[in-house]
Amino acid sequence: GELPISYELYQNYPNPFNPSTAIKFSVPKESNVNLSIYNVLGELISTLVNEQLKPGFYEYDFDEPNLAAGVYLYRIKAGDFLETKKMILLK
């Protein structure tokens, strides 16, 4: 398999989602990766990843059946890379 050439955070799928969604990202070099979910107030909802990852493509499922419908943010921090995207939970 090919290895990624850059850090990238992809749009979750499906979006809008109910009750779960997949979040994909790529890591071009070994890095400490943190992938977390926040509400629109910036409060931490869940941490999906917080570990050292080798180069590659990754996918994690987010499934929190007790969350209220609304807009949520997911953020990746890996090395100097930081990106945030929006996702929508419909009930």
Side-chain angles (χ1 to χ4, degrees):
E2 282 186 34
L3 291 177
I5 58 172
S6 64
Y7 290 103
E8 194 158 354
L9 178 63
Y10 301 97
Q11 186 63 51
N12 65 300
Y13 183 82
N15 189 35
F17 69 97
N18 179 15
S20 66
T21 189
I23 299 172
K24 296 180 183 180
F25 61 90
S26 61
V27 177
K29 61 183 180 182
E30 189 165 329
S31 305
N32 186 27
V33 177
N34 180 283
L35 176 63
S36 297
I37 312 296
Y38 298 87
N39 64 19
V40 290
L41 300 177
E43 298 168 329
L44 179 65
I45 300 297
S46 178
T47 299
L48 298 180
V49 181
N50 190 20
E51 62 184 290
Q52 192 83 8
L53 295 179
K54 296 192 180 302
F57 296 92
Y58 294 89
E59 179 177 327
Y60 288 85
D61 290 326
F62 175 66
D63 185 0
E64 292 284 339
N66 298 323
L67 282 182
V71 175
Y72 292 88
L73 305 171
Y74 57 105
R75 183 182 81 174
I76 189 169
K77 181 168 181 9
D80 294 335
F81 179 73
L82 178 66
E83 188 170 353
T84 304
K85 291 194 180 277
K86 190 182 342 179
M87 61 183 176
I88 300 170
L89 171 61
L90 293 180
K91 292 277 182 163

